[in-house]
């Protein structure tokens, strides 16, 4: 079974970045799958603008944005689909896009598992495995999760073919998936 890292489809879609005055975005590096509902203040986001280009032909009409690892932002329709599919495995938290807090949401993945097989591997071997997208994941630890965080590389969101099929079946746009390795 292949395991994928969720990424942004830069070629076809615009994407969100943090506004300069957003202080919460630095905290995202400490999100390890813990519940955030009680402390959530909301990211402040804006569309990325490349000042070197006069015209950006990429579409603003997307359902999901994942420019930063582990920072999946989705529109309302997609948040409802994910909430129904993933029930207690995610939190759907509002974000601020140009002062609007009702159109987009941060998906906080709560499934954190020891997914990556790190036994008898040095730190250098583990890092090389991840850089080369040649990770070996523990299939038994992933179990029935179709989206999850690894307990070591928790700032990334990983998924299975079933999640990718769900995205395709529901015509969710804006994402791409890079193979991160296999689950054995």
């Amino acid at each position: 079974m292949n395991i994928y890292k969720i990424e942004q489809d830069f070629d076809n879609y615009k994407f969100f970045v943090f506004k300069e005055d957003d202080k919460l975005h630095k905290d995202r590096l400490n999100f390890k799958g813990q519940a955030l509902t009680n402390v959530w203040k909301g990211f402040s986001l804006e569309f990325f603008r490349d000042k070197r280009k006069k015209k950006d032909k990429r579409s603003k009409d997307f359902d999901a944005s994942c420019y930063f690892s582990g920072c999946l932002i989705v529109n309302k329709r997609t948040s409802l689909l994910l909430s129904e599919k993933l029930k207690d495995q995610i939190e759907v938290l509002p974000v601020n896009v140009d002062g609007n807090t009702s159109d987009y949401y941060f998906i906080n993945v709560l499934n954190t598992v020891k997914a990556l097989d790190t036994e008898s591997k040095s730190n250098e071997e583990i890092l090389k495995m991840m850089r080369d997208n040649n990770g070996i994941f523990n299939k038994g630890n992933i179990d029935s999760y179709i989206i999850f965080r690894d307990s070591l590389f928790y700032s990334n969101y990983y998924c299975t073919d079933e999640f990718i099929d769900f995205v395709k079946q529901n015509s969710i746009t804006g994402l791409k998936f890079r193979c991160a390795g296999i689950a054995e």
Side-chain angles (χ1 to χ4, degrees), residues 99-118:
N100 186 337
T101 57
S102 62
D103 292 338
Y104 291 97
Y105 300 87
F106 168 62
I107 301 300
N108 182 30
V109 174
L110 301 173
N111 305 326
T112 303
V113 296
K114 187 176 180 341
L116 195 62
D117 181 2
T118 58

Side-chain angles (χ1 to χ4, degrees), residues 1-4 137 142 148 159-162 164 179-183:
M1 167 170 70
N2 286 335
I3 302 298
Y4 303 88
F137 293 83
I142 296 167
F148 59 93
C159 68
T160 64
D161 286 310
E162 185 179 342
I164 294 171
C179 188
I182 58 169

